[in-house]
Amino acid sequence: MDALLADARRGHAGVLEIVGEPGIGKTALSGYAVAAPGMTVLHALGVQGEARLPLAALDELLRPLRGDVAELAPGQQAVARALFAGGGGAVDRYALGATTLSLLAMAAEKGPLLVVIDDSHWVDELSGAVLSFALRRLGADAVAVVLCRRSGQRRPVDGPWQELTLGGLDAGEAATLLGADVAPSVAVDLHAATGGNPLALRELRRTLTADQLSGRAELPDPLPLGERGTAVFGRRFTELPDATRRALTVVAAAGAGGAGLLGAALTDLGLAPGDLEPAERAGLVVLDGTAPRFPHPLIRAAAFATAAPSVRRQAHHALAVASAGVDVQRHALHLAASTVVASEDVAVALERAAEDAEQRGGPAAGAAARAGAASLSPDGPARDGRRVRAAEAYLLAGRRDDADRLVAEVLATGRSGPDRWRALAVRASLAIWTGGVLAAVPMLQSTIDELADGAPDLAALVGVQLAVILSSVGRLRDVLGIIGPIRALAITDPVIAYLVENRYAAAEVWCGNLQAQDEAERRYPRAVHGPAARRRFPMHDQLTAQTWTLAERFGLAHAAVEEDLAAARRSAAPAMLPMPLMLRADLFLHIGDLVRVRADLDEALDLGVQVGFGGLIGYTHALRARVAAMEGDEPASRLHADEALSASRIAGQRPVELYRNLALGLLDLGAGRHAAAAEHLGANVPLRELGGLANPVAIPWQADHIEALHGAGRLDEARDALSVLEGTATRIGSRWARSTGRRCRALLGDDAWPELYAAALAEQDDLPFERGRTLLLWGTHLRRTRQIRTARERLAAAAETFGRIGASPWAERARAELRAAGVRSPGSPRAATSPVSSLTGQELRVCLAVADGATNREVAATLFVSPKTVEYHLGRVFTKLGMTNRAQLARLVAGGGLGQTGARAAVNRPPPSPATP
């Protein structure tokens, strides 16, 4: 604990989770931290009765920081307002996490900050997710966090932090705590009975008689221990007046967040604050001029547990009355707790609480309240509707078992109509996103057919979701077969129709129709429908950028993905970032910006661990393996290739294997290991038209395979592979396939090789990696035919191109060829190992953002870290790059020293020619 506090004072954040059974000393140890000098303290207490109140714990913890909201970035100000005032629009949990991080970091800038969360196992689920995100991303911040959690209980605040498990006192320590007037034999018995639990030992000493403690009388059997000490409070409660016990029940039911309701609730029950004084004298409650509070969580639990059920219901009812019109959430919670039969009034109150929670914390935040509303509804259509709405909320919250249970209850009624249709759509979504989707395809097709007439919009949404998953596992022809008929349905929502057209076009592009996305754009322009689609179905709309990339429309792809990234960062929504980051990395792999590719993929992997990858993790690792191969980082390439393969097998994503084989083949090819490269790339041959995949740009491995076969001396196989590539280029009109096919034909010795290399080069202005390889092979061919001067020009251009984009092994191959052409010291400052390669992923992201002119606070909001962490990483960047200020960094980026090669050409290049008939 001392080390944690000392680190915080030095500006290094840390989290310590103290774990142990009730009464073991967690609260005492956190109290030790609170008493430490020089720390500002934020405190929250998890309360069992509030575990279903979305954001209850977060609100309690952050409320002292309300005055700092105006200093947040605009997007985060709206999020904070939604938290504190219930306004500003719904936000997701990760946007709340980023805002929480900023509030904690700003508070720490004023002085070391201590965050204490007692009984963290009772923190509500949404607060736990928000805090987990925020605490993981603390860095160079003067923040110490102490979490106290009961052993074996849920862990809503989850993270990779240090855990301290407290055990009981040993026998000697127990005897010291009990005191000299306790007989040694009695101390041994009490230690054995309590396991050395200090609170249980103290309460037993208080409960037992002097004769029992001294050994003159037998100890009671069993000892009144209960849950390691909870029950030992029982006798103390029974000795209190009835009014005092009832008042304590109200205090216990109110919880820390409901203290403002106590006065009215006590009055409603005919009680008064003075009724608590006997409990104060007994040491069971603290009355110090603030709201009444229990000195230990176990005392609160015992106060509530020892009350009769009718007394507990009366307390909840009084609190419900007191909170009416004041706190929608607590009013509904207490009203439900006071009710034992179905009640439409209570169900309506819980629905209002759900709507309030959704306004503050996003669509999933009100799931528990909606489920409560359904359970307390009288049977009938209204109950069906509430069950469906609760199931939809649980689906969004990732609580799939709960969603499935509610859907089954709706379908079991046999009632038809809109609620049944929505239940079928939820059941379909569960089948699609839970795994094993291929086995469920017949059921899903049947669901689409049933919904087609009565609810075509729902049928279309099920089809769109199914199309995304089937595409990810390589079932492209199936996508066309499912989405094709859906296009003919009477879809009323233009945004859903837009998504249907885009999913159909995407499958067509994957299958080789490069003009399909143009047709979709003509029918449903993204400029018209995209904004609404991003709000309602962001993950589906983000895939449009990928389709433009595969159609070789790099400018449109770049514009679309930048728009998606800007929207996600502007709205402080980290959950929306992994997909567009991965898609931009895929685009930049084509247009030659390896530095930014690495930055994007590392950020996607970093965020994905916390916000979830969906089905992206295998593809992200495969792309990361590929860029590492291009950079010559063999350990990283193999590591990510293994991760990609593992993820693909779990998810059944066969296309990931194609990406992974491409990465490993490219790694070997760059190192001159042609036979090994041919084996890796040859593994793609039986998979190349997997599920209808016929677009060579999607996974561009075929030219590499031909080059590897040539280098391995397998010329007949190389010619066969070239025929396939050229046939594809002719059939679909792919510029990449056409240009690399010409390069490979020249490599294999066609008499017109100079013209073929020149024609290939003419189509590769915005494909610098392919351009560099064409220059390298052309220059090598010229050198070997004794055309030394021209060879040097081509090889020097190749070395410069590879060096500029960071493809180190390829740059070295070009320099080796230059030496063979008689250039004694080939290379340039760019050719040398760049210090940029020494930057970590986080340093690189900070570097790029600062070079774009952002302030530290703006960078922090964009990258979901704190300004102090940005300052720390920026200092390391300056040291590694030998710089002293931001202007130097901006000049480096402007000069292409941190990538961007090819991006401008890609954006400005006209669209490719239509496919040759």
Side-chain angles (χ1 to χ4, degrees), residues 185-198:
S185 61
V186 173
V188 169
D189 289 343
L190 296 184
H191 176 263
T194 62
N197 184 294

Side-chain angles (χ1 to χ4, degrees), residues 774-793:
T774 299
L775 286 165
L776 173 60
L777 291 177
W778 193 359
T780 301
H781 210 145
L782 288 166
R783 180 185 66 78
R784 291 174 180 172
T785 56
R786 305 291 183 179
Q787 301 176 59
I788 301 301
R789 177 179 295 180
T790 310
R792 290 173 178 174
E793 293 174 358

Side-chain angles (χ1 to χ4, degrees), residues 783 788 791-792 795 816-823:
R783 180 185 66 78
I788 301 301
R792 290 173 178 174
L795 294 170
E817 286 292 332
L818 277 169
R819 286 191 290 273
V823 179

